[in-house]
Amino acid sequence: MAEFFFYGTLCHPPLLAVVLGRKVAMEPARLAGFSAFRVQGRAFPVLVADGGGAEGVVVRGLGDEDIRRLNFYEGDFRAEAHRVTLADGSLTAQVYLPPEGHWQPAEPWSLADWQARWGATVTAAADEAMRLYAEGVDPARMHGRYPMMLARAGARLRAGQGGPVTVRRRSGPGDVAIDRHWQPYGNFFAVEEFDLRFRRFDGTMSGPVNRAVFISGDASVVLPYDPVRDRVLLIEQFRMGPVGRGDGEPWMLEAIAGRIDGGESPEEAAHREAFEEAGLRLSRLLPANHYYPSPSAKSEFLYTFVGLADLPDGIAGLGGVPGEAEDICAHLLPFDDLVALVESGEVTAGPLVMLCWWLAARRDGLRRGA
């Protein structure tokens, strides 16, 4: 049996319970000679030897299986277990430390701040990660998927908030019985399969059915609109969907869009993507319809907005994030030209079509208020 000192995210009891597969007792503890700082560009901390004292918890009596699970989860954070003596000298425990200089510290670590923004999302992502442990997936491969796990976790949490139920059937306990759930493929996207039964409209349960779902997380879509000049900004980029379908025109006109990262709100993602793809600072977001574009096979949920912005001449150009292989061309168009493109069939991206008609119904009011 072994004792471990945790100073960062694993001090969050729900997360540690998912990683270990069981709840354990935690005792407050302090490690002298170190302080915890958030890692630059990351949401987890690192210990820095500075003569201070790092607050954390000790967990006693961890066995070989517990340690294997911890090593799987911590492995590709470049952390290895080291033996340390805690502040009062009464206990020697193991702690995960990265190689010296591997991470660069930012501001002092705050567990409370992390829990408020990240706790639920990271815990939900850990549930997916530890399913891969049970399947024998290599930890490096799991961590390569981790950013998308965070995005999918955020999507699951937002989905759990529910939505209006007036005409459609209200789901109740036991209406969906999942007998088996597994992930035959996972990378940037994932495919998950389910053996399940569901409540039929006559009140009986269906027989066993097998269903596969394409998992891609949620996304924010925003159409920038200048009500003073009555113009919009579209982007054009190469898309694999048309290529896979055999379309000879794989460059598409679209609204600005992007994945909602783990710990990020749909609104934050819309503002971020507007800046990354077109260099725009939006003054206001108007929420349009939020929806599943293809619920029979895809889990993706779209949050769509019209973003009010200043769109002067010369603002359109090339953009995108080079590290993500984005190659984007922006187009500045009068709103009537967008309508003509939609009606001609040159615009075939569903979210842009929907946002065009949503804005058309509200355009006069926005122009009067500009």
Side-chain angles (χ1 to χ4, degrees):
M1 295 294 184
E3 287 69 47
F4 272 77
F5 173 76
F6 301 114
Y7 61 91
T9 63
L10 290 177
C11 292
H12 185 51
L15 175 60
L16 186 59
V18 169
V19 172
L20 293 178
R22 63 189 181 95
K23 293 182 179 179
V24 292
M26 295 178 166
E27 304 172 28
R30 186 169 180 269
L31 178 61
F34 293 86
S35 295
F37 294 85
R38 185 183 63 82
V39 171
Q40 286 186 12
R42 302 297 184 104
F44 57 85
V46 64
L47 284 181
V48 175
D50 63 355
E55 304 296 331
V57 298
V58 163
V59 176
R60 302 173 185 263
L62 295 182
D64 291 343
E65 174 62 9
D66 296 318
I67 294 172
R68 282 191 291 268
R69 294 176 71 95
L70 285 168
N71 287 340
F72 175 83
Y73 185 74
E74 289 285 337
D76 214 54
F77 290 120
R78 301 296 188 265
E80 295 181 354
H82 295 258
R83 188 166 293 279
V84 295
T85 301
L86 300 186
D88 62 4
S90 63
L91 179 67
T92 298
Q94 296 188 64
V95 62
Y96 284 99
L97 297 173
E100 186 175 354
H102 183 80
W103 300 116
Q104 297 303 310
E107 74 276 3
W109 165 255
S110 167
L111 177 63
D113 289 348
W114 177 87
Q115 286 172 320
R117 184 175 179 89
W118 289 97
T121 303
V122 171
T123 301
D127 184 68
E128 181 177 344
M130 298 314 294
R131 289 205 307 267
L132 298 181
Y133 168 79
E135 295 171 13
V137 172
D138 181 83
R141 187 179 170 201
M142 181 276 285
H143 281 272
R145 305 180 192 178
Y146 189 70
M148 279 306 299
M149 289 183 188
L150 284 174
R152 292 192 286 268
R156 290 195 296 274
L157 293 173
R158 286 187 293 274
Q161 297 171 6
V165 179
T166 56
V167 173
R168 60 177 172 162
R169 175 189 184 142
R170 183 179 296 277
S171 178
D175 282 352
V176 179
I178 298 175
D179 300 319
R180 186 181 175 217
H181 173 204
W182 70 103
Q183 189 182 91
Y185 171 81
N187 199 347
F188 187 81
F189 301 118
V191 174
E192 296 188 356
E193 286 201 46
F194 295 81
D195 290 338
L196 57 82
R197 292 162 288 126
F198 61 89
R199 186 80 59 193
R200 295 167 56 88
F201 286 111
D202 64 6
T204 64
M205 290 296 286
S206 74
V209 296
N210 173 265
R211 294 290 185 267
V213 182
F214 186 85
I215 309 290
S216 55
D218 294 349
S220 284
V221 184
V222 59
L223 174 63
Y225 175 61
D226 185 334
V228 175
R229 300 178 177 88
D230 194 30
R231 56 174 54 163
V232 294
L233 186 139
L234 311 182
I235 62 168
E236 180 182 359
Q237 58 186 321
F238 174 80
R239 287 302 201 188
M240 279 304 300
V243 172
R245 181 172 177 260
D247 195 324
E249 301 293 343
W251 279 264
M252 297 191 69
L253 294 171
E254 304 177 345
I256 291 168
R259 182 188 70 205
I260 303 170
D261 290 336
E264 187 176 44
S265 71
E267 293 78 10
E268 288 170 332
H271 282 287
R272 174 178 54 76
E273 290 291 343
F275 183 75
E276 289 179 358
E277 295 192 355
L280 290 181
R281 301 287 187 185
L282 304 175
S283 63
R284 184 181 168 197
L285 281 178
L286 305 176
N289 298 94
H290 307 326
Y291 58 93
Y292 290 97
S294 185
S296 65
K298 292 193 65 178
S299 70
E300 183 180 47
F301 191 83
L302 300 183
Y303 293 84
T304 69
F305 305 90
V306 167
L308 301 187
D310 182 30
L311 301 176
D313 292 342
I315 197 171
L318 303 181
V321 180
E324 297 179 6
E326 288 185 337
D327 180 42
I328 294 171
C329 178
H331 297 275
L332 200 57
L333 300 174
F335 179 76
D336 286 340
D337 286 4
L338 170 59
V339 172
L341 288 169
V342 170
E343 290 183 332
S344 74
E346 186 168 347
V347 169
T348 55
L352 179 54
V353 173
M354 190 282 295
L355 283 169
C356 172
W357 300 128
W358 188 93
L359 178 55
R362 296 158 179 81
R363 172 189 177 202
D364 290 344
L366 290 172
R367 297 208 71 199
R368 285 194 297 270

